[in-house]
Amino acid sequence: MMKKSLIAPSVLALGLLSTAAFASAPTVNPQDYPKLTAKELGHIRHLVKMSHQLPGDWSGFGSLLLLTERTRHFQVAFAGMTLALAQHQYTPAYRELYKDALEAYIQKMQHPDIWERWMFSSRGGARGGLLDDMHQGWMDPIAKDNIMLKGYLLQLGAAHEMLYGDRKYDQPGAFTFFYNGYGYGNGLIKFQYTLGDIARIIHQEVVDSNYVGSACEPARIFWACNAISNVGFMHYDQVHGTDYTDVLPKMKRSWIDKGYMNPNTYRYSSAVFTSWDDRAADQRAVPQTPMANGIGGWSGMFNHAWDADFVKAAYFGVNGKDRDETLQFNLSGDYAKAWPSPEGYAYYSLQWGLFIAYAAEVGDKEAVDKMLAYAERNYRPVWQDGAYYYPRNDDYAVDAQGNSHGVDPWTGNVLIAMARLNKGGGFYKLYNEPWGEAQYRQPYISDVDTLSTDVSQAFYDDKKQALIVTLSPGPIAAKQVQFTVRQLDPSKVYTVTKNGKAAVRLERKAGGDAKNAPMIWREDNTVVVTTGIATEQTFVFSATR
Amino acid sequence: MLAARRAFDCATGLAPGVSYLNTRGRERVAVLVHAGDKPLNFRPRNLLAWNVLRRVRVPTITMVWRSMKHREKSWGMALAVVCLLASAARAQVEDPAASGKMQITSCLVYLTKSPDKTYECTATVAEACNGKQQCEMPIGYNLTGGKDVDPASGFLGKMVKITYTCGGHSRQRGPYQQNEHASMILECSGLP
């Protein structure tokens, strides 16, 4: 939801307005702090916009492939985690945009279009030799199996808790799934869970499987899907003081000991089948493939957070061969020829996106740059109302130079954006440098009109006691915009520079004339800043005493 | 006129000269029936009377009165018919079974692999839901005395089925797995 500009509030206290020399403050160079480029801001704007599409409006999410009947929901979850990464890495001192969008994505995960598909998946069937016929199935999307939904709820919900110190997903009914269809079924029913319920259930399922994992479809355990809950446990433990991450090394050990993963060749089975009745019984792994390709990036980009050395080594493979072959596969257009069918095209476009995201996380800048160049050249990116993305294209024909225009929405909307925003170890930092009360109490900005303004930089340097904010013009032109600075220390005096030049000495004191003041310190200890926005504007608020 | 007045009282359920609160309880309204050939006098707000009349499903009573006020005999017969209809409507309002409010007839928890092994939960559900138009009923261990009656069978091992009537018509909800995180919505509206 776009915030509107604030009208200048009633003034209680006002800082002196002066361009005279100020008391000395530590030198703060905005270039030393993370900052979003125009394309990165465009990706973020696109993901935020999609998050706020009305319930049931899945415009832009649609794909050729209904991967396990849930392509939209994976895309939804990955979009949320891309924003979480950007929030953590680039604009920790500007949160409202990301918080609202993350909550909107979490809400989308509870839409019937997403969760009701479980009724199909839960029935299993004769395929794969599990049953003689389809089972009657069950409706509850959390109670048993279905890590492919609840793992993402854990990951997103726990990330939200860590980033914002908000325990809304711990409340009763935080996740509610209401079946109110009349056309079939056994009547209206409602399922309600908290984040803690989900964490506990997944953890128990991992234990009950002898540390192979929680199942996606019944009796099918995927390494990729458990990577999501693995890192979800990390944030959950950090916030709640639990020890659910105790299962992470046990899972890896279990997979190696049972022969499902080879730590020397970096080959693994993407899935393990089990008995229908007992996830610890009759376990059979599918044939092994390199961890670098296929859906290897799906787990790699997240498992890097707790197993960095191994995951990076698996990305390259022995002597870098797996990485080189996969990169070549993606840049030569072979990905578009591997499985010439609608589902094949979409699948391999997905693996293209998973690989670039994996490359970004482990810090393979060369691979990322080459693949981004391929995308720019072939995937026809668009700018639309300040949003930047690669629209779905079903033309998977390959020319003599290996160029193909074909791109699936999961890759075009989300995974390329994720790779561009992740400058290396982004998820590692997200999961190993959690925020807490110290961060929640730091100065930050809010009340930004996102129609007219992009926030490309918002960082508080605790050591220098400096808040660095850079605003860029948004899609709608405006002469002036405002934003609010919160949680400045009213006992301190701040030197404010604008675009490198001394602008204001800011302190909270009574009296004075507030008219035409570019910065107004209000009674509630917030500061409203007014500025032109024809070009980029950089502010540094430094505490001097 | 006395017969007319009695018929009117019967049809509307209103007693002459008595004060009534309106449907939202915000104001008092007096409804007076005059003797003789003077027309019905509702004061001060006719909205109350219309709300009351609609509830007893005799919306046209005043129109019948006004159009028939000079024909006592046919007017009396018309009102008698109306009175019968009103009585039936009133009966519906006062009797839950007849009015569409639910009556729980059975609740059972049974084991998936041994459906003949059942646990009674009718009283629990009836206490919570009888007489209601809609009832959100948790279907966890509250139905079996707070206990998992067969822990080894897991989530899929226990099923819950509830039957109830609405206005004499039977409905079934479930079976659904017994589930500490689930609530069945029992309702008398909508499709059976």
Side-chain angles (χ1 to χ4, degrees):
Chain A
M1 193 178 303
M2 303 297 184
K3 297 244 183 213
K4 296 185 178 174
S5 294
L6 290 176
I7 308 297
S10 58
V11 174
L12 181 70
L14 175 68
L16 289 173
L17 302 176
S18 168
T19 54
F22 303 127
S24 63
T27 303
V28 177
N29 183 355
Q31 312 247 354
D32 294 339
Y33 302 92
K35 188 175 169 210
L36 293 160
T37 64
K39 282 183 181 172
E40 289 163 358
L41 283 167
H43 283 318
I44 289 168
R45 187 173 283 277
H46 181 61
L47 294 175
V48 169
K49 170 187 157 292
M50 291 186 82
S51 78
H52 294 305
Q53 285 175 198
L54 292 174
D57 178 4
W58 302 108
S59 306
F61 286 94
S63 169
L64 278 172
L65 172 64
L66 291 175
L67 182 63
T68 67
E69 309 88 47
R70 285 181 186 73
T71 295
R72 290 189 198 121
H73 118 251
F74 292 132
Q75 200 182 149
V76 168
F78 274 69
M81 290 314 300
T82 301
L83 291 176
L85 182 150
Q87 166 76 100
H88 189 258
Q89 292 295 293
Y90 293 94
T91 62
Y94 170 56
R95 300 172 203 148
E96 60 194 10
L97 180 78
Y98 299 87
K99 184 172 189 281
D100 288 350
L102 188 54
E103 290 172 2
Y105 276 127
I106 291 172
Q107 191 60 37
K108 283 189 186 312
M109 299 286 282
Q110 298 165 71
H111 192 278
D113 292 350
I114 297 293
W115 75 266
E116 282 185 8
R117 305 290 294 188
W118 173 245
M119 289 190 255
F120 289 108
S121 299
S122 69
R123 299 191 66 188
R127 188 172 182 180
L130 285 169
L131 299 169
D132 291 332
D133 193 0
M134 286 193 285
H135 188 268
Q136 66 181 40
W138 59 96
M139 201 176 276
D140 187 323
I142 304 294
K144 181 178 172 67
D145 302 331
N146 203 15
I147 187 74
M148 53 194 176
L149 176 72
K150 66 193 186 198
Y152 293 95
L153 291 173
L154 173 63
Q155 184 190 37
L156 291 167
H160 182 278
E161 286 197 333
M162 183 280 290
L163 288 169
Y164 307 115
D166 184 340
R167 299 290 191 104
K168 65 187 289 180
Y169 298 114
D170 288 340
Q171 305 309 313
F175 300 108
T176 296
F177 307 92
F178 180 32
Y179 176 68
N180 63 351
Y182 283 93
Y184 76 99
N186 292 343
L188 311 186
I189 189 165
K190 194 181 285 185
F191 307 102
Q192 295 179 299
Y193 290 87
T194 65
L195 190 65
D197 291 330
I198 293 175
R200 177 179 47 78
I201 290 169
I202 296 173
H203 183 265
Q204 190 61 52
E205 288 180 344
V206 172
V207 172
D208 290 345
S209 70
N210 280 342
Y211 303 100
V212 173
S214 173
C216 289
E217 293 87 354
R220 293 187 174 162
I221 300 173
F222 284 79
W223 182 249
C225 286
N226 281 273
I228 276 60
S229 48
N230 289 347
V231 290
F233 286 145
M234 291 180 75
H235 277 158
Y236 192 86
D237 284 352
Q238 287 156 2
V239 174
H240 295 269
T242 47
D243 190 25
Y244 288 136
T245 50
D246 71 326
V247 298
L248 271 55
K250 292 177 183 175
M251 282 179 62
K252 185 183 174 187
R253 177 47 48 194
S254 175
W255 277 62
I256 292 172
D257 289 347
K258 295 179 185 197
Y260 307 153
M261 183 186 297
N262 188 323
N264 300 313
T265 63
Y266 306 112
R267 298 291 184 268
Y268 82 127
S269 297
S270 59
V272 174
F273 288 19
T274 75
S275 155
W276 180 267
D277 295 314
D278 181 355
R279 300 291 172 263
D282 194 22
Q283 293 178 343
R284 309 163 318 275
V286 302
Q288 294 193 351
T289 53
M291 297 184 81
N293 64 25
I295 58 172
W298 196 325
S299 53
M301 72 177 82
F302 296 122
N303 280 338
H304 186 247
W306 62 274
D307 196 11
D309 292 340
F310 176 75
V311 166
K312 186 168 183 175
Y315 166 83
F316 284 99
V318 177
N319 297 324
K321 188 164 177 280
D322 292 339
R323 175 268 195 189
D324 292 343
E325 287 180 354
T326 308
L327 184 60
Q328 176 63 16
F329 179 79
N330 290 323
L331 294 177
S332 65
D334 283 350
Y335 78 93
K337 298 185 237 178
W339 183 4
S341 62
E343 59 270 25
Y345 293 140
Y347 171 77
Y348 277 102
S349 176
L350 165 62
Q351 73 82 42
W352 194 104
L354 292 173
F355 182 76
I356 190 177
Y358 193 5
E361 175 62 19
V362 301
D364 184 357
K365 189 174 185 305
E366 181 193 2
V368 173
D369 288 345
K370 285 181 176 177
M371 292 185 73
L372 284 178
Y374 187 95
E376 290 297 304
R377 189 168 67 245
N378 293 307
Y379 293 165
R380 297 172 178 164
V382 301
W383 280 102
Q384 187 174 53
D385 300 327
Y388 188 72
Y389 68 109
Y390 306 84
R392 169 179 163 177
N393 191 324
D394 292 349
D395 177 11
Y396 285 84
V398 184
D399 68 15
Q401 286 71 47
N403 296 303
S404 175
H405 301 303
V407 61
D408 183 82
W410 190 348
T411 291
N413 286 329
V414 183
L415 294 172
I416 297 177
M418 182 187 277
R420 182 170 266 128
L421 286 160
N422 189 349
K423 300 296 192 287
F427 286 117
Y428 181 90
K429 292 178 195 131
L430 179 67
Y431 289 103
N432 290 283
E433 296 172 9
W435 293 352
E437 286 302 320
Q439 284 75 25
Y440 306 148
R441 285 197 295 266
Q442 289 174 352
Y444 68 98
I445 67 168
S446 68
D447 305 304
V448 175
D449 173 21
T450 54
L451 286 174
S452 61
T453 312
D454 279 322
V455 178
S456 55
Q457 187 177 48
F459 199 95
Y460 182 72
D461 186 332
D462 195 36
K463 287 181 187 166
K464 295 184 178 179
Q465 295 190 64
L467 176 66
I468 302 97
V469 175
T470 298
L471 307 182
S472 306
I476 304 294
K479 276 192 172 178
Q480 279 194 328
V481 297
Q482 289 185 325
F483 64 94
T484 304
V485 183
R486 297 179 184 270
Q487 296 185 164
L488 289 176
D489 187 340
S491 67
K492 293 188 188 296
V493 176
Y494 289 85
T495 301
V496 184
T497 63
K498 182 175 178 181
N499 301 325
K501 296 178 183 172
V504 167
R505 171 189 165 97
L506 191 66
E507 61 180 322
R508 188 183 189 283
K509 59 190 267 185
D513 184 357
K515 285 183 183 174
N516 303 316
M519 295 185 204
I520 302 171
W521 199 310
R522 301 189 289 193
E523 184 182 0
D524 61 1
N525 284 328
T526 60
V527 175
V528 175
V529 179
T530 304
T531 178
I533 195 67
T535 58
E536 189 175 87
Q537 307 292 320
T538 298
F539 298 85
V540 178
F541 298 77
S542 298
T544 53
R545 64 175 168 84
Chain B
M1 285 307 293
L2 182 59
R5 181 170 157 178
R6 282 181 183 156
F8 177 75
D9 292 344
C10 167
T12 63
L14 298 175
V18 176
S19 302
Y20 291 87
L21 289 172
N22 76 354
T23 55
R24 292 183 183 174
R26 285 182 298 190
E27 50 188 305
R28 291 185 179 277
V29 180
V31 177
L32 302 176
V33 176
H34 291 275
D37 61 354
K38 287 186 180 177
L40 222 53
N41 182 7
F42 296 87
R43 74 163 179 91
R45 293 176 180 80
N46 286 333
L47 179 62
L48 164 66
W50 279 113
N51 284 339
V52 172
L53 291 172
R54 282 209 303 274
R55 287 168 75 186
V56 299
R57 300 184 188 181
V58 190
T60 59
I61 179 66
T62 54
M63 295 194 60
V64 170
W65 171 270
R66 288 179 190 282
S67 65
M68 303 291 279
K69 63 182 177 183
H70 296 299
R71 305 178 193 175
E72 284 194 25
K73 287 183 186 175
S74 353
W75 161 95
M77 285 172 64
L79 275 179
V81 169
V82 166
C83 183
L84 280 172
L85 290 172
S87 296
R90 199 178 305 124
Q92 231 178 337
V93 169
E94 292 163 0
D95 180 354
S99 68
K101 305 272 175 72
M102 73 182 68
Q103 292 290 305
I104 304 300
T105 52
S106 80
C107 170
L108 287 178
V109 176
Y110 61 91
L111 302 187
T112 308
K113 291 188 176 172
S114 306
D116 54 326
K117 200 165 184 185
T118 60
Y119 299 83
E120 254 292 335
C121 46
T122 305
T124 303
V125 180
E127 184 181 352
C129 296
N130 273 0
K132 293 184 178 176
Q133 277 281 339
Q134 179 169 301
C135 183
E136 188 167 324
M137 186 67 209
I139 55 166
Y141 300 144
N142 58 301
L143 299 180
T144 47
K147 295 176 188 172
D148 182 351
V149 296
D150 187 13
S153 65
F155 170 68
L156 298 178
K158 282 82 61 178
M159 305 298 286
V160 178
K161 186 163 72 176
I162 298 173
T163 61
Y164 59 101
T165 57
C166 293
H169 299 288
S170 182
R171 295 187 175 198
Q172 175 185 318
R173 294 293 180 261
Y176 281 115
Q177 286 80 20
Q178 187 181 23
N179 185 345
E180 284 280 271
H181 295 276
S183 300
M184 273 199 226
I185 317 296
L186 314 178
E187 21 76 55
C188 282
S189 58
L191 295 174

